[in-house]
Amino acid sequence: MPFIDLQAQYQAIKASVDARIQRVLDHGQYIMGPEVRELEAALAARVGVAHCVTVSSGTEALLIALMSLDIKPGDEVITTPFTFAATAEVIVLLGAVPVFVDIQPDSCNIDPALIEVAITPRTRAIMPVSLYGQVADMNEINAIATRHGLAVIEDAAQSFGATYRGRQSCGLSTWGATSFFPSKPLGCYGDGGAMFTDDAGLAQAAREIRVHGQSQRYTHTRVGLGGRMDTLQCAVVLAKLERFDWELEQRRLIGQRYQQALAELPVQRLAVREDRDCVWAQFTLLLSGAEQRQQVQASLTAQGVPTAIHYPRPMHQQPAYQSFAPAWPLPHAEAAAQRVLSLPMSADLSPAQQDAVVDALRHALAAG
């Protein structure tokens, strides 16, 4: 059983993917070809924003967003410690300071009640992460940002397609940034990402930054980087968009089925707020602690069920980021890192496969 079944997905859309790729091979515009503009228009319309800028990865999306806001050394960006390294990495790469505040223990998203006390005169932005496919509390976060004149960048690498109070993830703040890494809800066949905003000035800055800061060929108006998304990868995403709504519905149904099945087992389920949904980039549960997780994970592996841990160590305890550990405690992030376990999840996970996963988990818990 695969953890994420990309082969089943490809077989379902093979004709469209192959045709899209062949079209690029025929016209030969591998960098900034027509599929780039086509994808940007389609994604902007889907999210409901004025501007989409495709980039070479979700990491570049976050980095370019910060660069467009002119984040400088010494500036502070408030974010969560319970995330993949890219979230903090891009802040540090610019010489800025990641300021970590704790998460909500039931959703694992950043706790907006803790953000305001972390703001200082050096704070320039807030970067919430919409973890596991559920949007963070963006209304509360945006309200705090407005009071203090801060930008908000939604790290939506795991939540593209999710909704929040009737609006789309990535269209809720100053910038929305997502990833098209193959395992994401909407993925390509390599690296890729996209940025979303209604601010024309920020969008223009991002477009220049992704081509080495050029406003026109060989006119470098700002410091930039090589951050373009390949035409071939844009073609793949365009093909995948054709059944994306179906995949989102399947993810929601499979996630709901998991949630119902787990209600009978001695594990903690992630809370999904009533005013939003979850696209389950990962289906993650919480066990009692690291010892039980190790036992359950070993049992599932022996039964042929793959698992993953997203994430085993919070950022402030990572060797490269320990110097940014805040003065205040982060107990919920630290506890989650010891407890979370992700089960197989993809739109093509069959009911029989899902039943097998739940049965294996039930056996693993009983054995412990």
Side-chain angles (χ1 to χ4, degrees), residues 27-144:
H27 68 56
Q29 298 177 54
Y30 302 115
I31 303 296
M32 300 304 290
E35 285 78 6
V36 176
R37 294 183 295 275
E38 183 183 354
L39 180 60
E40 289 176 345
L43 294 177
R46 183 181 187 92
V47 172
V49 297
H51 306 279
C52 169
V53 182
T54 55
V55 291
S56 54
S57 73
T59 305
E60 259 67 35
L62 295 173
L63 179 61
I64 293 172
L66 292 171
M67 292 174 71
S68 75
L69 294 166
D70 201 26
I71 300 297
K72 291 183 168 60
D75 290 343
E76 294 177 353
V77 179
I78 295 173
T79 192
T80 169
F82 193 60
T83 181
F84 182 61
T87 310
E89 177 180 71
V90 293
I91 301 168
V92 176
L93 282 171
L94 293 177
V97 178
V99 177
F100 299 118
V101 302
D102 211 1
I103 60 172
Q104 299 165 331
D106 61 344
S107 74
C108 291
N109 275 334
I110 192 169
D111 189 342
L114 303 175
I115 290 175
E116 203 150 21
V117 295
I119 293 173
T120 76
R122 294 181 298 278
T123 307
R124 291 287 314 282
I126 306 170
M127 190 184 291
V129 176
S130 294
L131 198 65
Y132 301 137
Q134 178 180 198
V135 175
D137 294 337
M138 295 302 292
N139 275 17
E140 293 86 344
I141 294 167
N142 286 333
I144 294 167

Side-chain angles (χ1 to χ4, degrees), residues 2-335:
F3 186 70
I4 299 170
D5 198 344
L6 294 176
Q7 277 302 311
Q9 181 195 54
Y10 172 62
Q11 291 304 318
I13 57 175
K14 183 178 188 302
S16 183
V17 170
D18 292 355
R20 282 279 188 178
I21 290 175
Q22 188 61 53
R23 199 172 305 156
V24 176
L25 296 175
D26 288 341
H27 68 56
Q29 298 177 54
Y30 302 115
I31 303 296
M32 300 304 290
E35 285 78 6
V36 176
R37 294 183 295 275
E38 183 183 354
L39 180 60
E40 289 176 345
L43 294 177
R46 183 181 187 92
V47 172
V49 297
H51 306 279
C52 169
V53 182
T54 55
V55 291
S56 54
S57 73
T59 305
E60 259 67 35
L62 295 173
L63 179 61
I64 293 172
L66 292 171
M67 292 174 71
S68 75
L69 294 166
D70 201 26
I71 300 297
K72 291 183 168 60
D75 290 343
E76 294 177 353
V77 179
I78 295 173
T79 192
T80 169
F82 193 60
T83 181
F84 182 61
T87 310
E89 177 180 71
V90 293
I91 301 168
V92 176
L93 282 171
L94 293 177
V97 178
V99 177
F100 299 118
V101 302
D102 211 1
I103 60 172
Q104 299 165 331
D106 61 344
S107 74
C108 291
N109 275 334
I110 192 169
D111 189 342
L114 303 175
I115 290 175
E116 203 150 21
V117 295
I119 293 173
T120 76
R122 294 181 298 278
T123 307
R124 291 287 314 282
I126 306 170
M127 190 184 291
V129 176
S130 294
L131 198 65
Y132 301 137
Q134 178 180 198
V135 175
D137 294 337
M138 295 302 292
N139 275 17
E140 293 86 344
I141 294 167
N142 286 333
I144 294 167
T146 298
R147 285 198 295 272
H148 294 272
L150 306 175
V152 176
I153 304 165
E154 182 195 4
D155 180 344
Q158 298 181 18
S159 63
F160 190 80
T163 60
Y164 172 86
R165 302 191 178 190
R167 300 169 63 196
Q168 291 284 323
S169 177
C170 287
L172 303 166
S173 53
T174 315
W175 274 116
T178 198
S179 167
F180 299 133
F181 188 80
S183 63
K184 303 303 183 188
L186 181 61
C188 56
Y189 291 157
D191 275 317
M195 309 164 61
F196 301 84
T197 188
D198 280 318
D199 189 309
L202 290 178
Q204 182 59 30
R207 292 188 185 102
E208 293 177 7
I209 291 168
R210 74 173 172 182
V211 290
H212 302 283
Q214 296 177 96
S215 56
Q216 56 186 7
R217 190 161 177 79
Y218 297 129
T219 299
H220 302 268
T221 54
R222 61 181 76 239
V223 174
L225 47 82
R228 299 161 298 202
M229 185 170 172
D230 295 342
T231 308
L232 279 167
Q233 299 300 346
C234 289
V236 171
V237 177
L238 281 165
K240 287 195 175 190
L241 274 175
E242 295 175 13
R243 81 161 194 164
F244 187 50
D245 286 328
W246 177 85
E247 290 193 7
L248 289 174
E249 183 60 25
Q250 289 302 115
R251 285 180 172 275
R252 294 180 182 111
L253 290 172
I254 293 166
Q256 183 180 23
R257 197 164 184 262
Y258 263 140
Q259 291 282 69
Q260 291 171 346
L262 265 56
E264 305 170 0
L265 301 179
V267 298
Q268 181 183 334
R269 299 170 295 164
L270 284 173
V272 179
R273 308 289 185 230
E274 292 184 358
D275 60 353
R276 68 205 74 170
D277 63 11
C278 184
V279 296
W280 300 109
Q282 290 87 29
F283 186 88
T284 302
L285 55 87
L286 293 99
L287 297 165
S288 63
E291 185 176 348
Q292 186 192 36
R293 181 174 67 188
Q294 184 177 18
Q295 175 266 316
V296 168
Q297 194 170 30
S299 176
L300 290 174
T301 299
Q303 297 177 77
V305 175
T307 59
I309 299 173
H310 304 100
Y311 298 95
R313 187 185 294 184
M315 292 307 302
H316 67 289
Q317 292 183 340
Q318 293 284 357
Y321 299 93
Q322 286 177 339
S323 62
F324 300 106
W328 49 82
L330 301 169
H332 297 312
E334 292 172 7

